[in-house]
Every structure is written in C-alpha cells, then in structure tokens.
Amino acid sequence: RSLFGRKAAFSALSILVALLIVGQAVTVYFVYQQSGQINKLTKTSQALQLQALQKKMPSNAKPVNKMRMAMVNMPLAMRDLPLSPSSDRMPANIMGPVSNKTEDQVKHLLLQADPQKMFPELKDNLMDNLKRLKKSMTDVDWKSFESWMHKWLLFELAKNPQKNEKKVIPAEKGIA
C-alpha cells in the first residue's frame, strides 16, 4: 500500500507542477501579447499628436525644398534634412508639409523626441509673456533661459553691427 500511496502522491505532485508551469507559460504569453498592443498604441498616440501639431501649422506656408533661398545663408535648422533616423519609417501623411517657420520646425523636432512636451500659449506682448514664463518656470530653468537670452542678444548685436552712430553715454553722478 505504501508503494501505491507514494506513486499516487508523486503523480499528483507531478500533475500539480505541470499545471503550474503551463499556467506560467500562458501568463507570459498574454503579457507579451499585451506589451505589443501597448507599443502599438504608443506609436499611434505619437502619430496623432504630431498630426494635431501639423494641423495647427499654417496651411499657406511653402515647404522648404520648394523655396528659392540661398542654402549658404540658411540656418541649419531650416535646411531640408531628415528630422530623425526613425522619420523614414513614418508614413508621409503623418510627416505632413514642412513649414518654413523656425518655431514650427523646432516644435516638430521637440515633439518627435518627447511627444508629451507641452508649450504654453503666449499671446500677450513680450513683457507679459516673459512674466508669465517666469512664474511658470523653476528658478534654475529661468536662470538658464536668461543666460540663453543674453547670448542670443549678443549674437544678434554681433550679426547686425551699428553704423558709426554716436551713442549718448550718461554722465556719472557726482562729477562736476
């Protein structure tokens, strides 16, 4: 009897282990299948976000490759270059027409890198927009932005030199 009991216990234990292994295999199969669907949904979501951005772009803007501009004087961001290595895998209807506005091209590049990136609506004058940005940014980000603005101003001043204009320099106080 003990021999049959041991065989029955061994058989029951073997069946239980086999069921556990099969259960784990089925679970892994379904998780793998769901991850594929999640990846597909993520790509679709990114494509829809890019499509929504392109609908916001002006429709009367000409594509860069059809414009008659000197390529030597054109900034690198404006040249007709592939936007990313993965852009050749994206369908042409998602890419849409390329705007010649620098801000639209930069937004497009940033959204390709991070589709969840948000851009604030700045519709007031320059000073009000800067005040709103300062309130919405962290101190570190604002200091970095100020540093960039300073460098941009120096670049613009160097790019457009003043023509021998005499500038009025205010006198220092206390000097007679």
Side-chain angles (χ1 to χ4, degrees):
R1 259 187 192 182
S2 71
L3 185 61
F4 288 119
R6 286 183 190 166
K7 285 183 180 180
F10 182 72
S11 296
L13 186 63
S14 297
I15 291 172
L16 181 64
V17 169
L19 286 176
L20 288 174
I21 291 172
V22 168
Q24 289 294 323
V26 168
T27 303
V28 167
Y29 171 76
F30 283 121
V31 167
Y32 181 74
Q33 188 177 12
Q34 291 296 326
S35 71
Q37 290 176 353
I38 290 172
N39 288 339
K40 189 176 179 181
L41 286 173
T42 303
K43 289 178 183 178
T44 304
S45 172
Q46 289 174 352
L48 288 174
Q49 286 177 345
L50 285 174
Q51 196 173 25
L53 174 68
Q54 289 168 354
K55 285 182 181 179
K56 290 180 183 178
M57 288 183 182
S59 60
N60 60 355
K62 296 180 182 177
V64 173
N65 59 357
K66 292 184 180 178
M67 294 183 66
R68 303 286 182 212
M69 294 176 72
M71 290 296 281
V72 174
N73 295 333
M74 190 183 320
L76 186 58
M78 294 292 291
R79 291 188 184 168
D80 192 14
L81 298 174
L83 297 177
S84 70
S86 63
S87 67
D88 57 340
R89 286 181 254 141
M90 295 182 75
N93 61 352
I94 294 173
M95 294 298 288
V98 179
S99 171
N100 62 344
K101 294 173 77 177
T102 304
E103 62 195 40
D104 292 336
Q105 289 189 0
V106 170
K107 277 184 185 179
H108 185 74
L109 279 172
L110 291 174
L111 283 175
Q112 275 191 330
D114 182 13
Q116 282 77 29
K117 189 173 285 292
M118 300 298 292
F119 300 97
E121 293 292 325
L122 302 173
K123 297 188 183 222
D124 296 331
N125 62 25
L126 177 65
M127 292 310 292
D128 291 339
N129 286 339
L130 287 175
K131 287 176 186 176
R132 183 179 300 139
L133 275 176
K134 186 173 184 175
K135 288 178 185 175
S136 67
M137 295 174 120
T138 63
D139 288 337
V140 174
D141 287 341
W142 179 253
K143 290 293 180 189
S144 174
F145 182 65
E146 275 185 334
S147 173
W148 176 84
M149 284 193 301
H150 181 255
K151 291 172 185 170
W152 173 81
L153 178 62
L154 291 175
F155 172 75
E156 287 296 317
L157 291 174
K159 191 168 75 170
N160 299 322
Q162 302 296 326
K163 297 176 183 165
N164 295 336
E165 293 179 9
K166 293 184 179 180
K167 294 185 179 181
V168 177
I169 300 174
E172 291 182 20
K173 294 180 181 179
I175 298 177

